[in-house]
Amino acid sequence: MTELKDMNNPDQGNGGAYPSPPEVEEEDKLNISIEEGQPTSRKCAALRSCIHSCCKPINTKYHPLTENPGKFERFRYALMCPPHGNLAMYIQFFVLCVMTWAILIAITKDQALPGGNFFSLVILFTAAVAGGYVFSLFRLPPLLGMLIVGGMLSNIPVLKTVGLGLNLEWSGALRKIALTVILIRAGLGLDPVALKKLSFTVLRLAFAPCLTECLVEAVAAHFLLGLPWEWGFMLGFILAAVSPAVVVPSLLNLSDRGYGLDKGIPTLVIAAASVDDVLAITGFGVVLGIAFTQGDLALTIVKGPLEALLGIAFGCVFGVFLWYFPSKNGTSKMFYRSLLLFAAGLMATFGSDIVHLPGAGPLGCLTLAFVAAFRWRKEREEGQPDTIAEVVGILWMLFQPMLFGLIGAAVNFDNIDLSALGLGVAVLAIGLGVRIVVSFCVVFGSGLSIKEQIFVAIAWFPKATVQAAIGGLALDAAIKLGDPHLINLGTSVLTIAVLSIIITAPIGALAIAVSGPRLLNKIDLKTGKVVSKNSEDPEKSSMLNNGNNENVEESLQ
C-alpha cells in the first residue's frame, strides 16, 4: 500500500521540492482515503478517481477560457460541465416549463393535456421564447420571432392543435395584462424634469407624424376597406404608434458606438417615442369608447373625452395614494409597492371594461405610474437602482412572449381575404409614406443636416409593441357583444395590425442599423470629439443637446 502511495505522489519521489499540480492533488486526496482493511472504502475511492479522470476533459475547472478565445473555443467551453451561461439558463427554463405543465396536469387534468387551454398556453409561451431567441441571433427584433411562432401554431396543420386549444377569454385577459405592464413601464419612464427640458422639436416630432398618419390611414381604410369612420380612426391610431421595442434598442446600440450624439439624435427620437405612444394609446381609447357605445350620438361624442378625464383622475388619485402606502418604515416596502402598483394598473384596465368605459383604463394606468414615480424618484438616492422598474422589467420578460405569441395565434390565414389583405397593405403603405415625409419636415430648423433629417424619418416608422398590445382590444370587445359584423371588423383590424408588425419591424431595425453609420456623425466617447463626419455642419449644436455626452446619457436614462 505504501508503494501505491509513492507511485501516485510525485512529491515523495523528489523530496517535496516541486509542488503537485491541482489535478494530481485531487487524485492524491482520493488515494489517501484508501486504507488497509477497508475494501469498501478502497473501491469507492477508486470509483471516484475513475470518474474524476473521465470527467476531467469536459470540466470547466481544468479547461478555462483563454484571454482572447475564438468562436470555436467559446462554443466548446459553452458545452462543458457543469452547465453554465446560456446553456444553464435554457436548461432551467425548460425544466421550469415542464414542472409548470406537470403542476397544471395535477390541478386541471384535461385542460393541461393536448388540446386543452393550459397545454396550449404552456407550449405557446415556450415556443415564443425559443422563436424570439432565434431571431435575436440574426439581430432581428425578438418580438418578430414570437409573432411568427404564434402564427405557425395556429395555422400549420400539424401544429394547429395548439392554436385551436386556446380559450378566447383567456387570450384576451392575458393580452390586457401585458398591456398593463407596457403602460406601467411607459409611465415609470416618463421623467417630468426631462419633459420640461424638451424643445418644441420633440413635441412636433411626437404629435405631427402620429396625428397625420392616423388621419390619412383612417380615410384610406374607410374608402379602400369599407370600414366605418370610427373603426377607421381606431385602425389609424393603432398603426400610427411607433414601437419602442424596435426603436429604443436600435438607437441605444448606435449611441453606445458614438453615432448621433453630437446632435442628440438618440435623445430626440427616444424622448419623442414616449409621447407618441401616449398620444396613440389615448386616441385609440377614446375612439374605442365611441365605437362601442350605444345610445345618443351627442352623449357618445362627449363620452370619449370624459373617459380620458376619468382615466387621468383615477391615475392621479391612486398615484398619490402610492406616495404614502406602504409606509416608509414598513418592512418589504418595495415588494408591496410593486404589488400595489401592478394591482392598481390591473384594476384600471379590467375595471374600465366592467363600467363600460374602456377608454379610461389605458390612460388611467399610464397616469398612475407617472404620478407614483414622480415622488419615488425624489426618495431614491443618487446611484441607487430603480427596484420598481426592475420588477416591471421582469414582468415584461414574462408577458412579452405570451403577448406576441397570442397575437400571432389570433390570426387565421384561412379566413383572410387576399384582396382585403392587399388593400390593408396599401393602407399601411400610404400611412407610412405620409409619416416619413412629415417626420422629415418637422425637424427643419432644429440644427440637423439633411442626412440627419433623413435618418430621423427612417427611424420613426417601425411598429410592433403598441400594435400588439391594443390591436386585439377591439376584437375582444366585439366578441363580448357577440355581433358577427363587429367581430369581422375586429378581425380585420387585428390582421392589419399584425401585418404592420411583420412588415415594418424587421425593415425598420435593419434600416436603422444600416443607415445610422452612413448618415450620422460619430464621436469618440472618451474625448467627445467628432471622429467621423457623415453629415453637414457637424459642429452645429442641436436645440436639444449641446454635444455633451453626459447630458445625452442622462436624457436616455
Side-chain angles (χ1 to χ4, degrees):
M1 188 64 193
T2 305
E3 294 178 358
L4 178 62
K5 292 183 179 180
D6 291 340
M7 293 175 61
N8 287 322
N9 191 353
D11 285 291
Q12 294 182 2
N14 57 20
Y18 302 100
S20 301
E23 58 268 24
V24 177
E25 291 179 359
E26 291 288 341
E27 295 177 0
D28 288 344
K29 292 178 181 178
L30 295 175
N31 293 327
I32 290 172
S33 64
I34 303 177
E35 299 180 1
E36 295 181 359
Q38 296 182 358
T40 304
S41 299
R42 187 161 51 249
K43 291 179 181 180
C44 292
L47 179 62
R48 283 157 50 196
S49 178
C50 178
I51 295 175
H52 178 269
S53 300
C54 294
C55 295
K56 190 186 300 182
I58 60 172
N59 196 322
T60 57
K61 178 179 179 181
Y62 303 108
H63 301 278
L65 278 176
T66 59
E67 186 175 352
N68 296 311
K71 292 184 178 179
F72 176 76
E73 187 177 353
R74 288 199 301 267
F75 176 75
R76 185 185 65 179
Y77 184 78
L79 298 178
M80 288 187 176
C81 295
H84 57 280
N86 290 335
L87 180 61
M89 183 179 65
Y90 301 146
I91 292 175
Q92 70 185 22
F93 172 75
F94 176 77
V95 171
L96 183 61
C97 290
V98 172
M99 292 171 64
T100 303
W101 182 35
I103 294 171
L104 290 174
I105 290 177
I107 297 175
T108 64
K109 302 296 187 298
D110 294 342
Q111 286 296 313
L113 296 176
N117 179 46
F118 291 112
F119 173 83
S120 298
L121 289 176
V122 171
I123 296 299
L124 179 71
F125 177 80
T126 307
V129 172
Y133 174 72
V134 171
F135 270 67
S136 67
L137 294 178
F138 297 95
R139 298 194 175 183
L140 291 173
L143 55 88
L144 185 62
M146 300 172 187
L147 191 72
I148 292 177
V149 166
M152 293 171 59
L153 294 178
S154 186
N155 292 279
I156 295 180
V158 179
L159 305 177
K160 192 181 291 187
T161 305
V162 176
L164 295 176
L166 293 171
N167 184 286
L168 294 179
E169 292 185 0
W170 275 81
S171 299
L174 289 171
R175 287 203 298 268
K176 287 182 180 179
I177 295 175
L179 173 63
T180 302
V181 176
I182 292 174
L183 293 171
I184 290 176
R185 289 192 72 190
L188 294 175
L190 291 177
D191 187 355
V193 177
L195 290 175
K196 289 181 180 179
K197 297 179 180 179
L198 293 178
S199 71
F200 188 55
T201 304
V202 177
L203 298 178
R204 293 203 311 264
L205 184 61
F207 278 81
C210 179
L211 295 177
T212 306
E213 182 183 1
C214 173
L215 177 61
V216 171
E217 287 173 339
V219 174
H222 177 72
F223 289 104
L224 294 180
L225 298 175
L227 296 181
W229 282 111
E230 60 271 21
W231 283 85
F233 276 98
M234 259 196 293
L235 178 62
F237 277 116
I238 291 173
L239 298 181
V242 72
S243 172
V246 178
V247 173
V248 174
S250 300
L251 285 175
L252 288 179
N253 180 270
L254 291 175
S255 176
D256 292 340
R257 294 153 58 193
Y259 288 104
L261 294 181
D262 61 320
K263 303 290 187 69
I265 291 176
T267 306
L268 168 67
V269 178
I270 292 176
S274 300
V275 183
D276 176 275
D277 290 343
V278 171
L279 177 63
I281 293 173
T282 303
F284 171 81
V286 172
V287 179
L288 180 68
I290 294 175
F292 286 92
T293 300
Q294 300 176 353
D296 184 48
L297 179 61
L299 180 62
T300 301
I301 296 175
V302 174
K303 188 178 179 181
L306 180 62
E307 289 182 0
L309 293 176
L310 290 175
I312 295 174
F314 173 88
C316 291
V317 171
F318 275 87
V320 173
F321 174 83
L322 292 177
W323 289 0
Y324 305 101
F325 297 93
S327 61
K328 296 181 180 179
N329 55 357
T331 58
S332 304
K333 180 180 69 173
M334 289 303 172
F335 170 76
Y336 287 108
R337 180 174 285 181
S338 303
L339 190 62
L340 286 171
L341 175 64
F342 188 53
L346 291 176
M347 186 171 70
T349 305
F350 287 92
S352 60
D353 289 338
I354 295 177
V355 297
H356 304 292
L357 297 172
L363 189 57
C365 185
L366 186 73
T367 307
L368 162 74
F370 173 73
V371 174
F374 179 80
R375 179 68 171 267
W376 293 345
R377 285 191 185 90
K378 297 180 179 179
E379 297 178 358
R380 193 167 61 248
E381 298 179 0
E382 185 177 356
Q384 184 179 359
D386 189 350
T387 308
I388 304 298
E390 292 176 356
V391 172
V392 178
I394 294 174
L395 288 174
W396 176 237
M397 288 175 58
L398 295 174
F399 282 100
Q400 183 186 22
M402 191 65 72
L403 170 63
F404 289 104
L406 288 171
I407 288 294
V411 179
N412 191 339
F413 295 154
D414 296 334
N415 298 331
I416 295 178
D417 186 356
L418 294 180
S419 61
L421 189 63
L423 294 175
V425 174
V427 171
L428 178 63
I430 293 171
L432 287 176
V434 172
R435 183 183 187 90
I436 290 175
V437 173
V438 174
S439 300
F440 176 82
C441 295
V442 294
V443 290
F444 269 116
S446 60
L448 301 182
S449 66
I450 298 297
K451 289 185 178 180
E452 290 165 339
Q453 290 177 223
I454 293 175
F455 174 80
V456 170
I458 291 174
W460 202 233
F461 79 89
K463 305 172 187 304
T465 315
V466 176
Q467 286 70 28
I470 65 177
L473 295 184
L475 177 60
D476 295 338
I479 291 175
K480 288 183 178 180
L481 293 178
D483 189 333
H485 176 64
L486 295 181
I487 292 176
N488 290 333
L489 292 176
T491 303
S492 299
V493 169
L494 177 60
T495 302
I496 298 175
V498 172
L499 193 65
S500 70
I501 300 174
I502 296 175
I503 293 175
T504 64
I507 294 177
L510 183 62
I512 294 173
V514 172
S515 64
R518 290 168 172 79
L519 300 178
L520 301 179
N521 294 330
K522 182 178 181 179
I523 69 170
D524 189 330
L525 296 178
K526 295 181 179 179
T527 63
K529 296 181 180 179
V530 177
V531 295
S532 176
K533 301 179 181 179
N534 294 322
S535 59
E536 300 86 353
D537 300 326
E539 300 298 332
K540 188 175 181 181
S541 296
S542 156
M543 294 173 62
L544 298 175
N545 200 288
N546 59 5
N548 189 307
N549 291 336
E550 295 180 358
N551 291 340
V552 174
E553 294 175 358
E554 180 181 355
S555 300
L556 292 178
Q557 292 173 354

